[in-house]
Amino acid sequence: MLDLKAAADKPVKSYSLGMKQRLGLARAILARPELLILDEPTNGLDPAGLKQIRELMALLCREYGITVLVSTHILSEIESIVDTVGMIHHGELLKEVSMAEIRETGRAYIELSVPDTRKAAYVLTEMGYGNFRIFDNEKIRIYDRKASPQEISKTLALNEVEIIGIGKVSESLEDYFLKMTEEVRDND
């Protein structure tokens, strides 16, 4: 399951970090536990190894009924495979929430990259979009659900606002976590 047969005759001390991660995971699942607790299971893995471990965790849950608890700081690696997330900040559980709820309540926005944010902001205001924020003097996030990238880019072009990039973005698990921890800081 973890593609270690080719390395079976090699001493473990010669294994790469990724191979050692896979070996540790193999040892853990041999006993077919009901609960598998993994701490940074994708540390040291290449993209193919990341994909393999994500698929394995999903398989363990789906086919073998094993509950997998993953502790990680790299939220983007696991958001596509987990059902439920527990947000821990400074050792305290802030919230336990399903990924479906995060996706439903998450803010989608249009991110616009322009060299002249002041001119773009003026045109956006004239278009009736008041719910936007400027970041790093070159990015604007437009939070109006009715806004379309096509309409915005067309109007900006007609008003001679140069566009470097534009696209629709959905709030990620990392965005959600940062928002949660920001709220905790604001309430302290």
Side-chain angles (χ1 to χ4, degrees), residues 26-43:
R27 290 180 64 198
I29 63 175
L30 275 174
R32 294 205 181 196
E34 289 181 39
L35 173 66
L36 182 61
I37 301 173
L38 304 174
D39 184 24
E40 302 287 354
T42 58
N43 185 32

Side-chain angles (χ1 to χ4, degrees), residues 73-93:
H73 293 90
I74 307 169
L75 303 179
S76 60
E77 285 182 10
I78 62 162
E79 75 179 290
S80 62
I81 59 167
V82 299
D83 301 77
T84 305
V85 178
M87 304 276 180
I88 299 174
H89 183 60
H90 295 299
E92 182 182 332
L93 181 64

Side-chain angles (χ1 to χ4, degrees), residues 141-164:
R141 289 185 182 168
I142 305 156
Y143 297 101
D144 189 320
R145 291 195 185 269
K146 294 177 279 177
S148 80
Q150 296 83 2
E151 178 187 340
I152 291 169
S153 61
K154 179 181 176 183
T155 305
L156 290 174
L158 289 172
N159 285 278
E160 299 179 2
V161 176
E162 181 184 350
I163 301 169
I164 297 168

